[in-house]
Amino acid sequence: MIRFLPVAAMLLAVSGSAHAADPAPPTAWYWHNWTDHDGVSHMTRCAFHDYDLKTMSKPAGPQWQDHVHEGNAHIISTVQPAHWDGSWHPDPKVQWIIPLKGSWYVMAMDGKKVVMGPGDVSLGEDQMSRRDAKGHIGHFAGNIGDGPVTLMVIQTDEQPTVDKPCRFH
């Protein structure tokens, strides 16, 4: 018996990529550490959403792109020693934090704790937080496990906002 595959399945089999078969944009996620109008920080899981399928540099094939930030940025590679303790502090700038090796956590003032490892993305934007009755401000961060944690930090020139969770969605 001969079976005929739908055109989309044939394209997928031939091209080896889903973009030829399914033009729907992908979903990617990040954690947003944001501040509310009372000065309390929160961690919210957010989706990137504004993807376009295009090449970054011809003749490279198209890829999904969401231009999250345009402007000045500083890129910092950090290696936090084993058992690093970040204590309570606000982020120095609106910054994207991407773990490259190891796992770390961020706990917001509302008590939500998120553990992140390679492949996760965090947006630190708790500069407008205010010290609470316990002396907490911003977030508490630290390493998970007994080894160092390597992070890529991209500090932007964005102005911090209040009451705008998932503002880059």
Side-chain angles (χ1 to χ4, degrees):
M1 176 176 188
I2 299 175
R3 279 185 11 171
F4 290 96
L5 295 173
V7 173
M10 289 180 3
L11 285 173
L12 182 59
V14 170
S15 71
S17 66
H19 79 80
D22 183 4
T27 301
W29 301 92
Y30 68 96
W31 286 100
H32 188 185
N33 181 13
W34 60 280
T35 305
D36 67 21
H37 61 276
D38 291 324
V40 177
S41 65
H42 306 271
M43 293 293 288
T44 301
R45 189 171 184 242
C46 307
F48 292 109
H49 75 86
D50 197 17
Y51 283 102
D52 292 314
L53 185 61
K54 58 186 177 182
T55 184
M56 289 181 80
S57 178
K58 291 185 180 193
Q63 56 188 314
W64 291 104
Q65 301 175 42
D66 183 349
H67 286 266
V68 177
H69 171 79
E70 291 187 26
N72 292 323
H74 290 89
I75 301 170
I76 304 164
S77 173
T78 69
V79 179
Q80 298 168 338
H83 309 289
W84 179 80
D85 175 353
S87 194
W88 285 98
H89 67 283
D91 287 297
K93 294 183 177 275
V94 176
Q95 60 188 17
W96 294 94
I97 306 160
I98 305 158
L100 302 176
K101 183 178 178 186
S103 295
W104 71 306
Y105 67 87
V106 173
M107 183 167 54
M109 293 169 68
D110 67 1
K112 182 160 187 156
K113 181 179 178 180
V114 176
V115 175
M116 292 170 270
D120 291 320
V121 177
S122 174
L123 173 62
E125 187 182 14
D126 60 1
Q127 294 83 7
M128 305 303 287
S129 61
R130 294 191 297 269
R131 195 167 305 281
D132 66 12
K134 297 177 186 175
H136 301 164
I137 187 169
H139 63 280
F140 193 97
N143 290 0
I144 303 290
D146 293 325
V149 174
T150 303
L151 304 171
M152 182 65 66
V153 180
I154 304 165
Q155 294 182 332
T156 73
D157 59 0
E158 298 280 349
Q159 293 301 308
T161 62
V162 172
D163 286 331
K164 292 192 178 179
C166 301
R167 74 171 173 137
F168 291 109
H169 68 297

